[in-house]
Amino acid sequence: MIRRTDTRRSEEAVSTVVSAILLLALVIAVITSINVRYVPQWTEEAEQLHMRNTIKDMSQLKAGVDLMLTASATGNGSFSAGMPVTMGGGEVPFFNSFSSSSTLLLNTRAVNMYLTTRRGEVTQESGDRLKNIGSVDFVSNNDHYPNQRFSYECGGLAIGQNDRSVMKMVPHISVRSTVNDTIDVTLDAVKLAGVQRTISSNNVEEVYFTYMGSASVSDGSVPVDEMTLVVETENSMAWQDHLSRLMQASHLDAGKYSISSNSTATVLYISGNTGADIRLKANVHEFNVSLNVL
């Protein structure tokens, strides 16, 4: 009886160990299957959600600067505001606790605007007033979802992916053909001053803007025969598309303007209908931009 009992107990012990091993193997197989088949998809969806939130953050950044421009019209001097940007995303609870990082870049690339007008034999240029106009760039570092670049420049917000870019929120440029055949052109350029800064993070970072003042480039008091606007930026595709839509909406005769673009610049040319009948009002609004980090 003792030997039979010991044998039975040994068989039960072996059976328990085998069941535990099989259960452990099943758990490992299920976890592996989830990690291989589902976690990458869940991570991509989480990173896509982060990109949507980034669009909101950068759109609010642009809208915040616009509100500061509106407030500057009261003439109350310098004032400041911080705009938060969420840098990390892509976490999957229980399976992937790591969030992808992103990079914020302040004034690290060349962005320039050039404005030229002609009246008769007299040509005037904007010179250095619109050069080195600055930018705030957000560059994602996703593991699965396609990386995107969000660029706030010249008062507009462009979104880039690979070699393509679109204007998500438009800059302050308007063109209107009036009933008396004059062409009203208005440009309010946002110039970002401050030192170059770069930070990579998966936390929330704050971009700090301080309004410094505004200056007139052209007050529109003297009509001109023709004008040329050049925007030098790597988002030239976005600017070409935006300016094309702008000119189509102006109902200006197609023979009175032209738009050309390459990989580094976009050029808008407008000529008057009956001579010196373009009224150009152009202003530059300067902000100091920095990262609010300790």
Side-chain angles (χ1 to χ4, degrees):
M1 289 295 293
I2 295 176
R3 291 181 178 177
R4 291 179 180 178
T5 302
D6 291 343
T7 301
R8 188 181 302 112
R9 289 178 178 176
S10 297
E11 291 175 350
E12 291 176 353
V14 171
S15 176
T16 301
V17 172
V18 171
S19 298
I21 293 174
L22 291 176
L23 180 60
L24 179 61
L26 178 61
V27 171
I28 293 175
V30 170
I31 294 176
T32 301
S33 177
I34 292 175
N35 281 321
V36 172
R37 298 184 58 184
Y38 299 106
V39 171
Q41 179 181 351
W42 294 340
T43 301
E44 181 177 0
E45 292 174 353
E47 290 175 344
Q48 182 181 15
L49 177 61
H50 177 223
M51 292 297 94
R52 292 178 180 174
N53 291 333
T54 301
I55 293 177
K56 294 180 181 179
D57 288 346
M58 295 298 290
S59 297
Q60 290 174 354
L61 182 149
K62 193 258 196 242
V65 176
D66 288 350
L67 288 174
M68 294 173 72
L69 280 179
T70 302
S72 69
T74 61
N76 290 331
S78 178
F79 42 88
S80 305
M83 316 293 179
V85 179
T86 303
M87 303 290 288
E91 306 95 331
V92 178
F94 307 111
F95 294 99
N96 182 14
S97 59
F98 298 99
S99 61
S100 58
S101 64
S102 303
T103 303
L104 265 177
L105 306 100
L106 274 56
N107 296 332
T108 60
R109 60 185 177 88
V111 182
N112 300 295
M113 299 183 80
Y114 302 96
L115 191 60
T116 304
T117 61
R118 186 185 65 82
R119 177 184 172 92
E121 301 299 324
V122 179
T123 300
Q124 292 186 334
E125 299 180 348
S126 57
D128 293 338
R129 286 173 290 180
L130 297 177
K131 287 186 64 177
N132 300 318
I133 208 160
S135 64
V136 175
D137 296 306
F138 175 101
V139 180
S140 66
N141 185 26
N142 296 324
D143 294 323
H144 298 279
Y145 191 74
N147 284 314
Q148 295 179 338
R149 183 187 68 254
F150 301 83
S151 301
Y152 176 70
E153 58 184 29
C154 308
L157 177 62
I159 301 178
Q161 183 172 314
N162 298 325
D163 294 329
R164 302 183 62 84
S165 61
V166 296
M167 194 67 71
K168 178 64 177 178
M169 298 182 71
V170 300
H172 305 281
I173 305 175
S174 66
V175 179
R176 185 171 62 93
S177 180
T178 64
V179 293
N180 57 352
D181 288 334
T182 60
I183 303 170
D184 289 337
V185 181
T186 302
L187 167 65
D188 285 285
V190 175
K191 186 172 186 177
L192 303 179
V195 299
Q196 296 184 2
R197 288 296 304 272
T198 300
I199 184 171
S200 294
S201 167
N202 57 5
N203 297 312
V204 177
E205 303 296 341
E206 186 179 40
V207 184
Y208 205 69
F209 291 86
T210 300
Y211 173 72
M212 304 300 292
S214 301
S216 175
V217 179
S218 174
D219 61 9
S221 60
V222 179
V224 297
D225 299 327
E226 59 186 37
M227 60 156 286
T228 303
L229 173 66
V230 180
V231 183
E232 289 184 347
T233 172
E234 61 185 41
N235 295 305
S236 58
M237 181 179 292
W239 280 91
Q240 179 187 26
D241 179 69
H242 167 63
L243 292 177
S244 296
R245 295 175 183 272
L246 177 70
M247 297 309 298
Q248 291 173 4
S250 71
H251 303 295
L252 193 64
D253 183 73
K256 295 298 181 181
Y257 70 89
S258 64
I259 299 173
S260 59
S261 181
N262 56 30
S263 60
T264 60
T266 299
V267 180
L268 168 64
Y269 169 79
I270 303 176
S271 63
N273 291 316
T274 58
D277 55 3
I278 300 177
R279 293 183 298 191
L280 171 64
K281 294 182 179 180
N283 301 290
V284 56
H285 309 278
E286 185 169 348
F287 289 79
N288 187 79
V289 59
S290 61
L291 289 173
N292 190 17
V293 295
L294 298 177

